[in-house]
Amino acid sequence: MTNKENKMGLIRLLVIAALIYLAWRVVKNLLSQANRRDNSDSGNGHDGQAMLKCTQCGVHVPAPEAFTHNGRHFCSQEHQRLYLEHHDR
């Protein structure tokens, strides 16, 4: 085998590998789109649960888990206590 034949074989191998990679990406993309379409058809896409921002640290927590005092929301009793110690005097 000559040097030229070795280079042609390597180029052919690289082209085949690139084609396999491109085919894999196309199939993966098509499956992903089908998955997204199925998920969007099965509802409005969210749970509809309200999130409240903690007045002390800014973290958002689900409304049922939040602690509320005088219209202010907190992620924990500790943050509620800390806020009230420094702000309600």
Side-chain angles (χ1 to χ4, degrees), residues 4-6 22-25 27 38 42 46 48-52 58 61-62 67-68 70-71 74 76 81 85:
K4 186 176 183 180
E5 289 173 345
N6 284 340
L22 288 174
W24 173 73
R25 291 294 301 228
V27 168
D38 289 345
S42 65
H46 63 83
Q49 191 172 54
M51 301 291 282
L52 302 174
V61 294
F67 295 87
T68 304
N70 290 338
F74 303 92
S76 66
R81 183 186 62 76
E85 281 178 3

Side-chain angles (χ1 to χ4, degrees), residues 4-75:
K4 186 176 183 180
E5 289 173 345
N6 284 340
K7 287 182 181 177
M8 291 300 288
L10 182 60
I11 291 172
R12 187 175 297 137
L13 182 63
L14 289 173
V15 168
I16 290 171
L19 289 173
I20 290 172
Y21 173 76
L22 288 174
W24 173 73
R25 291 294 301 228
V26 167
V27 168
K28 185 177 173 183
N29 190 20
L30 290 174
L31 290 175
S32 175
Q33 286 177 353
N35 238 3
R36 274 187 253 135
R37 196 172 326 115
D38 289 345
N39 288 342
S40 67
D41 290 345
S42 65
N44 57 6
H46 63 83
D47 295 327
Q49 191 172 54
M51 301 291 282
L52 302 174
K53 186 176 180 179
C54 176
T55 303
Q56 178 69 18
C57 68
V59 169
H60 287 82
V61 294
E65 296 176 23
F67 295 87
T68 304
H69 178 76
N70 290 338
R72 298 191 187 278
H73 309 288
F74 303 92
C75 64

